Structure formats: C-alpha cells, structure tokens
Amino acid sequence: MSATPSNAAIEIRGVSRIYGSGENRVTALSDVFVDIRENEFFTLLGPSGCGKTTLLRLIAGFDFPTKGEILLNGEDIAPLPPFKRPVNTVFQSYALFPHMTVEENISFGLEMLGKPKGEIKARTGEMLELVHMTAMRDRAVSQISGGQQQRVALARALAPKPEVLLLDEPLSALDYKLRKEMQFELKRVQSETGITFIFVTHDQEEALTMSDRIAVMSNGEVRQIGSAREIYDRPADRFVADFIGESNFLEGTITATGENSATVALAGGTTITAALPAGQKHSGNATVVVRPEHATLGKAGTGAFDGTLEEAVYFGTDTHFHIRLETGELFIVREQNRRGGGDDVPATGQRVSVHIGPEAAQILRD
Amino acid sequence: MDKVREAAMAARSKDVRNRWFLSAPALLVIFVAAVGPLFVMLLYSFMAKGDYGDVRFGEFSLDGWFSVFFQRDLFDDTFGLADAHIAIIWRSIKLSLSTTILTLTLGFPTAYFIAMRPARNREIWVFLVTIPFWTNLLIRTFAMQQVIRNEGLLNNALIWLGVIDSPIQIMYTDTANLLGMTYVYLPLMVLPLYASIERLDFRLVEAGYDLYATRLQVLRRIIIPIVKPGLIAGSILVFIPSLGAYVTPRVLGGGKNMMLGNLIEMQFGGGRNWPLGAAISITLMALVMIALLIYVRNASRNGGGHA
C-alpha cells in the first residue's frame, strides 16, 4: 500500500467528485487516495456505480475533480484537457472512428501529435504487428469482428506511447471464450510494452487473474488496495469479503487476544480462533469471515460448531454443502471432489460439524 | 415435375400481377403529379408562343429555347447574348450558394447546440426551430422587410446605438435577398443537421480528445466527416428552393434584383411568352440536376471509399 513517490506513476491525492448541488447532490468519489506504480497492471474493481469509471475519466481528463490532485510523475494533471495528457484510453465500446480504416484509426493519435510521416508509418506498422492486425490494415472498422475491434482500440491507444493506458471495461462486450483470450493478450501486451495499465472492471475473476494490484471500490470510496491474494485471503472489511468470492460471516465477541490472533465466542455458543490483522480492534463485538473452501466437514461434535446439512450441491470439481446452524444462519462448506469419494458424503438432514483451521478464520474491520 | 413447374410459374406470374396492382396508386401519383406536368412543360417549351400568352398547339418552334440565352436586336436583326437572362441566372446561382453557406455557418452551431442539450429538452428546441413554418411565407417576408427597411428595426437600432448616422440601404439589394432567404431556409438546414449530430456517438469526440486532437481538429477530422450526410441533405434542401426562390426576391429584392423564379413568373404573366418560361424552368431543373450530380459524386468519392 505504501509506494514511494519515485516509482509511483499516478498518485491520486484526496480526489472527490461531486455532481449537482443542494438536494440533487451526488458524491461519485469521496476523498480517494491511490498510488499506482510504474509498469503496474492496476485494477479498479467494484460494482456499477461505485465510482471506478468516474476515477478513470478524471485521470483521462474527460471530467475534472471537485477537489484533490492527480499527479502524473509528480505533476498535477487534474486541470489539463485530455489532449494535453500523455494518457490514452481504451473505451468500453471501443469508440473506433467509423469513417477511417483500421490503419487510419491507429495512426490518428500520432498524426495529432504532429509526428513525422515516416515515424507514423513505422509505429503504426509496429502496432498492427503487436495486435496481429497487419492483414486487416485497410479494412473499414465496420468490417471487422468485435474481438478485432478490441485489438484495434488497444493498438490505437498504445500507438502514441502513453505513460499510462486506461482501460474502461474493455472486455465486457466480448463473449466468454474471446474474453479469456483477450485477458491473456492484454497481459502479454502490457509486459511487452512495459506501460502502466489502469484497468476498470466489475468482474472479480478478471481482476484477480490479471492484476498486479487491485483497488476495491464501493460508494465512491476505496475499500482496500492490495494484490489479488491479499484481497482474497485478507479482506479488509465485510464489503470486500462479500464482493470478492463467497464468504461465511459469523458474529461473535472477542474474549482474548494473542499476537496475530484472537479468540472469538460465537453467537452459537462455541469458540473459535481467528486471525487478527494489524490495526484491527481487540475487544468487543466482531465479525469473522470464513471462505467456504477453507472449512471442512466432520462428524457431529468434532468441529468448531454443529449444524444440519440442508443440501449438497454437486459442481463437478467440488461440492457445496449448505449447513443450517443453531443460530439459524446458513454456512457453506466447499469440498473438492475426489475420484471414488462418493461414499463418505453425508446425507441431507444429518447432523454434521464444521472444522475451521486456525488460519481459515479472520476478524473483519467494521 | 412439369406440373410442379407450371404451378410455380403460374404462382410467379400471379405474384408479378399482384405487385403491379399493389403499386398502382403510387405509380399513379408519380405520373399525375410529377412526370405529367414536367412532360407538359417540356412540350410547351418547343411550341410557338400565342399572342396573348399560352402556346399555339402543334406549331413547333425553337424560339423559346433560343431566347433563354440569346436575343434578337430590334433594329439590325443581329443576335446577341441575352445579358439580362444570364445575369439573372448567375445571380440566382451566386445567391443560392451564399445562402447555403450562410445557413450552414449559422445552422451547424445551432444544430450542435440542440444536440448537446439533455435528451428531454431537445424536442423543445427543435419545436422552436419549426415555429416560423407556422406563418405564411409571404407574411414572414413582409415581416423581414419591416426589420431591414430604412426606417426598420435594424437601422433604427444601429442609429440609436450610434454605429451609423444614416440608414444603410438594404432593401432592394442582393443583401436583402440573401438575408431573406437565409432567414426562410435556415430551419431546412438545422433539422437534417440536427438529426445527424444527434446520432453522433459522443464517445468518438472523447476518443478524439484522448488522442491529442484539439477542439478544431476534432471538429474537422471526426465530427464533420461523420455528420456529412446531414450536411449534404441540409445543403441540398436549402440550395434547391433558393435557386427557384420567388417570394423573397419579389418582396425584398425589388425589380432590379430578380431571380430565376421571378423571371419565369414574368414570362407566364406580363411577358406572355410561355415557351420561354417553360424553357427557363427546364434550365433551372437542369441546374439543380447538375448541382445534385456534383454532390453525389463528391459524396461517393469521400464517403463511399471505405464503406
């Protein structure tokens, strides 16, 4: 979370964006701080309306912050118009110029920068090569497929060698298989060009698989910034734990604290040990999160708490067990399926116990 | 097999008959309202003129066409170019082009402004643009006269502001014609332009800015090429009626600043030379056709290359 200013490409410093005034006042972003490092694949992840696209538009220059600074290599670019920022965008709808060919689209930015003819031609050829579109260079953009349009949009935005490339949900219009391909393609292009990518998505899988770091956003605020593993394994708060992956939440009271862990007395009457991340509170009521795949099933009376197996849903690679606890809450355990392991699957309606290892549970910030 | 083929052919011929039957009303309208009158005009232009107007039926003559461009000297019977006619044709072309350019210059920002309003307000603006159509053209033209005449609103305002000392003579000049026609035909430019700008994907404009284009470059390289169909439609809708304008030059231009429309009216009225009137009318149509051909060729060269 702490990037030194020397290797931060973009620093968002206390940026707020408020639309309208009086009763119609809408806060799209409130007091956001984010440092994005050079050469990083950084993702802004959140549900629609969380402010991620607003933040991207502020960086691109299509919109201006109500308050705060956006530093690019230490200089505030927030007041500059978009054509004065060394930042390019891949738009959600691609926004390719319909009256130009593939090649004309890609060379447009270089032409506007007033580059010499020879350089424009060379760089455009390089970009066509990079996205494997050389054969299609003279096609009209209406004559190429969605995936190809996506590649052209990427090449067009990369051609002027921006310091930072912004990608606004670029894969959302593609079908599943093509999306997978383009995810790989984007990672390849990013590592080949070494340009800082800021990627906006609402798709957690996309974010987890592609990003070096992720900022999870909600209601115009940044909830957590970290690597995919940090965000999944150590969610900072209930929103992050709920939004990314599946989670079981257990309410309880902290009774004793160790160095990195605490003992929590659960509402159901039993006690478990849960990890206590630095900076989290040490007493009182607490919410504990347990990922379904981090818990296991056992015979009644042997684990952290018991419940009744309501349903076992077979998913091929794994099975989801829905367990109704004494408190009335539903707890989900996910177990991987093994060949020939069908015999020991408990029957629905049976009493079972949930085992939670010392690393599996974590106390959340309220 | 043969039976099947026969049945298919019978069905097809019935289909063809049905098609003609169903398009009969449209064909009737086209023949009665468009082709028929034009044919009458063409016929009249090749007939001898009657003494009190009309034509002498069945008497073939090229006098009408001859008089469009040439005149016979009254005294020595030599031929010369019909300077007055050529001046009027030239003035009509010049004024129509100027009107097209002026309406474009005023209409483009207007249409852009309307297209940039929030969706729910746009209809109100479009509605406001069409309000002048509610009033008769003649009355609007007389209203324009009240604005530009020597003691009119414009001159009085300029004198009151101290910009000028004595009124500027606008009435009965080409400027009056130009102002009048621009006023009358402006909505015809704004509406098709608005229709095309409204459909413009504003993200393309953002993409232009993002790729280092300045406002002027975005206008020239992105907005104008994309809204070109609207631009052409508007220009055609203004240029064609301008070329044949009658009321505006009659009221504002006076006798000295006639346009083709007035010349034609004169031949059918006081001039009592119907063949000449018909020949000039067809000349006007030819001019329009030429203008349209130039447009179409330009449009297909620039726009059709990539599509």
Side-chain angles (χ1 to χ4, degrees), chain A residues 165-226:
Chain A
L165 186 77
L166 309 175
L167 301 106
D168 185 9
E169 309 221 15
L171 307 180
S172 58
L174 303 177
D175 62 50
Y176 182 77
K177 194 160 169 283
L178 208 53
R179 197 157 66 224
K180 289 277 151 204
E181 258 174 57
M182 281 308 294
Q183 286 180 9
F184 178 74
E185 198 67 10
L186 279 177
K187 281 298 278 182
R188 175 182 70 82
V189 168
Q190 200 253 338
S191 64
E192 273 179 34
T193 56
I195 290 172
T196 309
F197 275 35
I198 304 179
F199 185 88
V200 160
T201 185
H202 64 266
D203 182 332
Q204 45 157 313
E205 190 191 314
E206 224 165 75
L208 293 175
T209 55
M210 297 172 76
S211 323
D212 294 323
R213 287 192 310 148
I214 301 167
V216 184
M217 295 182 67
S218 141
N219 290 327
E221 286 172 26
V222 172
R223 293 306 189 98
Q224 189 175 4
I225 300 175

Side-chain angles (χ1 to χ4, degrees), chain A residues 132-155:
Chain A
H132 310 307
M133 287 294 290
T134 309
M136 308 266 182
R137 65 197 307 163
D138 294 323
R139 293 274 190 97
V141 294
S142 57
Q143 289 174 322
I144 58 176
S145 70
Q148 289 167 337
Q149 291 186 0
Q150 168 71 78
R151 285 162 199 274
V152 175
L154 181 64

Side-chain angles (χ1 to χ4, degrees), chain A residues 72-141:
Chain A
L72 175 71
N73 298 329
E75 270 178 70
D76 187 14
I77 58 164
L80 297 180
F83 50 86
K84 290 197 176 149
R85 302 179 187 211
V87 169
N88 290 127
T89 309
V90 176
F91 292 85
Q92 184 170 12
S93 53
Y94 317 140
L96 295 177
F97 303 128
H99 56 297
M100 296 181 197
T101 62
V102 165
E103 188 171 7
E104 285 165 346
N105 263 282
I106 298 175
S107 61
F108 186 83
L110 296 164
E111 270 178 60
M112 293 300 113
L113 285 173
K115 299 281 184 205
K117 279 237 159 64
E119 190 187 326
I120 294 176
K121 209 170 159 50
R123 179 75 181 155
T124 306
E126 215 177 286
M127 286 298 109
L128 283 164
E129 204 63 49
L130 181 75
V131 297
H132 310 307
M133 287 294 290
T134 309
M136 308 266 182
R137 65 197 307 163
D138 294 323
R139 293 274 190 97
V141 294

Side-chain angles (χ1 to χ4, degrees), chain A residues 57 85 88-89 96 99 111, chain B residues 204 206 210 212 221 306:
Chain A
R57 290 175 61 81
R85 302 179 187 211
N88 290 127
T89 309
L96 295 177
H99 56 297
E111 270 178 60
Chain B
L204 296 175
E206 283 190 346
D210 188 60
Y212 312 105
R221 296 287 307 269
H306 308 318

